[in-house]
Amino acid sequence: AGDGAARARRNVETLRRAVDRMKRLLSDLLDAAKIEAHGLSFERLRNDLPSVVAEVVDALQPSAEQKSLRVTTFAEQGLPQVLCDRGRILQVLSNLLGNAVKFTPEGGTLTISATPGGRDVVVMVADTGPGIPAKDVPHIFERYWQSDRTSREGAGLGLYIAKGIVEAHGGQMWVESEPGAGSRFFFTLPAAEPAEDRPGA
């Protein structure tokens, strides 16, 4: 009871956060090793991309609200379903949106959009943050690389893993950014064939 109990709760919470960070780091290291060995496993199923985006936004909304960030989503009408492992694409979007929340100043805007692009669907995660220095852009998807502006809490694997997941799905990932003009991360996923176009339909 009293101050002793409060200190104990703070100590337990500190330990919990440390354990969570260690679990994330171990998971990232394992995913990175699988990507390097071309052994990343996933199950591609038809998924409604706007619902995947909504799930990620709901999870990160409290963090965005703490910084008074406005989050907007847009999906073009008639957007086809995509073939993907839902959990893995949630992982990709969580990384991109989490970074956007981290680096966007208070009162900024985050935008997530999904539009058709030929046989693919193109997803964009944009922010109104400080942008990425030109010298850093060629390196941000490299394994273990970290910009001078990062907190160094992680291992520099988030974007490397996100890109590896997208490429394992047959997609591409890239970034467009200018200092002072925010950043726009893009990735593609293969569109699912309409039922009438599949053999035997």
Side-chain angles (χ1 to χ4, degrees):
D3 292 342
R7 282 195 300 271
R9 284 195 296 271
R10 287 195 297 270
N11 290 339
V12 169
E13 182 61 23
T14 299
L15 285 171
R16 187 191 65 78
R17 289 196 297 267
V19 169
D20 287 345
R21 285 196 297 270
M22 184 174 294
K23 286 170 62 179
R24 287 196 298 271
L25 176 58
L26 291 173
S27 178
D28 284 351
L29 289 169
L30 182 59
D31 281 344
K34 288 179 179 178
I35 289 170
E36 193 71 15
H38 304 287
L40 193 66
S41 61
F42 56 88
E43 184 179 13
R44 286 197 292 184
L45 300 172
R46 297 170 68 93
N47 278 279
D48 181 51
L49 195 53
S51 74
V52 180
V53 170
E55 185 172 341
V56 174
V57 170
D58 285 346
L60 289 174
Q61 190 68 45
S63 298
E65 289 176 352
Q66 286 181 355
K67 297 179 68 175
S68 301
L69 300 178
R70 180 169 175 254
V71 182
T72 62
T73 61
F74 168 79
E76 190 165 314
Q77 190 172 5
L79 188 74
Q81 290 185 313
V82 294
L83 285 174
C84 71
D85 183 305
R86 186 182 183 92
R88 287 296 188 180
I89 299 307
L90 284 170
Q91 185 178 350
V92 171
L93 283 166
S94 294
N95 176 270
L96 296 179
L97 191 57
N99 284 343
V101 170
K102 182 190 301 182
F103 292 115
T104 302
E106 290 192 11
T109 300
L110 312 180
T111 304
I112 307 98
S113 67
T115 56
R119 293 180 176 271
D120 298 320
V121 172
V122 182
V123 182
M124 181 191 73
V125 177
D127 63 59
T128 55
I132 302 169
K135 66 181 179 65
D136 291 348
V137 171
H139 305 289
I140 61 171
F141 294 112
E142 293 177 3
R143 185 175 55 168
Y144 302 127
W145 186 85
Q146 290 180 305
S147 170
D148 294 337
R149 66 178 184 160
T150 61
S151 63
R152 306 283 176 172
E153 287 186 358
L157 290 171
L159 289 174
Y160 172 80
I161 291 170
K163 189 171 187 284
I165 290 172
V166 168
E167 291 179 346
H169 280 79
Q172 295 179 308
M173 177 176 280
W174 68 97
V175 64
E176 297 175 359
S177 183
E178 295 178 10
S183 302
R184 298 167 300 283
F185 283 84
F186 300 86
F187 67 91
T188 63
L189 290 172
E193 294 178 346
E196 60 270 18
D197 293 341
R198 296 200 300 272

